[in-house]
Amino acid sequence: MRRRTALAALALLALDACSTGPSLEDRGQVTAAPGDSHHLTVGSAGFTESDLLAQLYAQLLDQAGYRTSILTVANRELYEPALESGQIDVVPEYAATFADWLNAKTHGADAKPVGSPDLDATMKALRALAAPRGLTVLPPGRAVDQNAFAVSAAYARRHHLKTLSDLGASGLKVRLAAGDECVQRPYCAPGLKKVYGIDITAVDPKGVGTTPAKLAVQDGRDQMVLTTTTDATLDQFGLVLLADDRHLQNADYVVPVVNRSRAGSARVAKALGRLNDVLTTADLAAMNERVDSWRRLPADVARSYLRDKGLLKK
């Protein structure tokens, strides 16, 4: 099994960055029989969770008899065309985010978003957008990485808060630590006000899930922080997530996306589908912590997880 990084390949990928789908002479590949190449390249977007998912995919495919490489390209504008062209064969993606990205690529930046909190509707839209590009979207599992909101554990206990609905019903005034775009994003401050009735008095522009943002909530300067459901460091700051009980956030479930002509076989789908039976959001958060806080290698963390779950031979 070989691993490589995308330094030498970036020039090749850049040549495909302007691609909007298979060329006219290759359009037949979209409807051709699914391919089953012996060597498969798994893409990673270069952040911890993507590296972990790429390792999980590669190790499961290795066990299924494939020879794999991992190619790290930290830019969707480059790795998505490479996925279409077959320079990358498999990539971990997030359903709603990828659906909206492909929709904007297909219909323009002002196109109405197709990602939503409804997983079935999101997957239907995503598959419709992916298929003409020669891509197959495999079934999602249980793991989801979406925006989430956390408060200090002491604040939650004091005001009896478990959900965002609880916070809205409390009438408490909330200063929110987040990115400055939160002021306008429908799934951030405007959505919190509209869906939950939360009184957001201000957005403190400290970024999404950053250490300064979490410290501001820990210290009581802000009451809530925008982070993600797989944030592995909340305990270190004494923070807890409030449940998105009215489903404000989009269905950003983890989904494998494959190049149909090279990796569209039932054997690939079966190998990667084994992960869906076990991988949870909490599992992803725990693995992120092992890499980010414990300084473990993604390959080692992924291997240990797969062995613990009985998915990889000892």
Side-chain angles (χ1 to χ4, degrees):
M1 179 173 61
R2 294 180 296 140
R3 297 286 182 264
R4 59 192 172 94
T5 304
L7 296 178
L10 280 175
L12 288 174
L13 297 185
L15 293 175
D16 290 327
C18 296
S19 170
T20 58
S23 62
L24 289 176
E25 60 270 23
D26 294 331
R27 285 295 167 95
Q29 294 180 8
V30 175
T31 55
D36 193 25
S37 301
H38 179 67
H39 178 270
L40 297 175
T41 300
V42 181
S44 168
F47 57 94
T48 295
E49 188 169 291
S50 188
D51 289 343
L52 281 164
L53 288 166
Q55 287 288 345
L56 291 167
Y57 289 4
Q59 291 179 33
L60 286 171
L61 290 168
D62 286 335
Q63 180 161 270
Y66 295 94
R67 187 165 59 95
T68 64
S69 299
I70 289 180
L71 192 64
T72 301
V73 186
N75 185 317
R76 189 177 276 116
E77 284 74 13
L78 290 177
Y79 74 67
E80 189 278 331
L83 183 62
E84 290 185 27
S85 70
Q87 290 173 287
I88 292 175
D89 304 305
V90 185
V91 70
E93 264 293 356
Y94 301 92
T97 295
F98 196 46
D100 284 339
W101 194 88
L102 286 180
N103 190 47
K105 183 176 180 180
T106 302
H107 300 295
D110 295 330
K112 182 180 179 180
V114 295
S116 76
D118 185 327
L119 177 59
D120 289 341
T122 297
M123 288 296 295
K124 182 178 180 180
L126 173 55
R127 284 174 167 147
L129 289 160
R133 297 180 177 278
L135 307 180
T136 296
V137 183
L138 300 182
R142 292 180 287 164
V144 57
D145 186 351
Q146 58 192 174
N147 287 343
F149 298 91
V151 298
S152 74
Y155 184 83
R157 286 193 302 270
R158 186 162 62 250
H159 298 290
H160 310 289
L161 307 176
K162 292 185 178 180
T163 68
L164 290 170
S165 288
D166 292 339
L167 182 56
S170 73
L172 292 166
K173 295 184 181 301
V174 175
R175 180 177 162 92
L176 175 63
D180 54 9
E181 69 278 2
C182 179
V183 174
Q184 297 180 328
R185 292 279 173 88
Y187 304 111
C188 201
L192 291 173
K193 293 178 181 179
K194 180 179 180 180
V195 175
Y196 290 105
I198 297 173
D199 186 1
I200 304 293
T201 60
V203 172
D204 186 5
K206 285 185 164 56
V208 179
T210 63
T211 295
K214 292 171 186 173
L215 286 172
V217 175
Q218 182 184 53
D219 297 343
R221 288 171 284 149
D222 297 334
Q223 287 72 52
M224 189 161 67
V225 59
L226 170 62
T227 182
T228 66
T229 51
T230 58
D231 190 325
T233 65
L234 294 177
D235 285 347
Q236 299 174 24
F237 296 90
L239 306 181
V240 294
L241 292 179
L242 295 182
D244 180 22
D245 54 311
R246 295 184 186 172
H247 307 293
L248 170 64
Q249 301 305 321
N250 278 346
D252 260 330
Y253 285 75
V254 175
V255 290
V257 182
V258 304
N259 177 290
R260 177 182 170 86
S261 66
R262 288 184 49 81
S265 70
R267 192 159 67 110
V268 168
K270 182 179 179 180
L272 297 180
R274 298 176 68 202
L275 194 60
N276 287 353
D277 296 333
V278 299
L279 184 65
T280 66
T281 304
D283 291 342
L284 267 183
M287 286 191 281
N288 285 337
E289 181 179 26
R290 287 180 174 87
V291 174
D292 290 336
S293 299
W294 302 4
R295 314 310 297 171
R296 302 281 178 83
L297 293 175
D300 294 339
V301 173
R303 186 177 301 108
S304 177
Y305 177 80
L306 292 174
R307 286 175 175 169
D308 288 346
K309 296 298 182 179
L311 299 182
L312 204 63
K313 295 176 182 178
K314 299 291 185 180

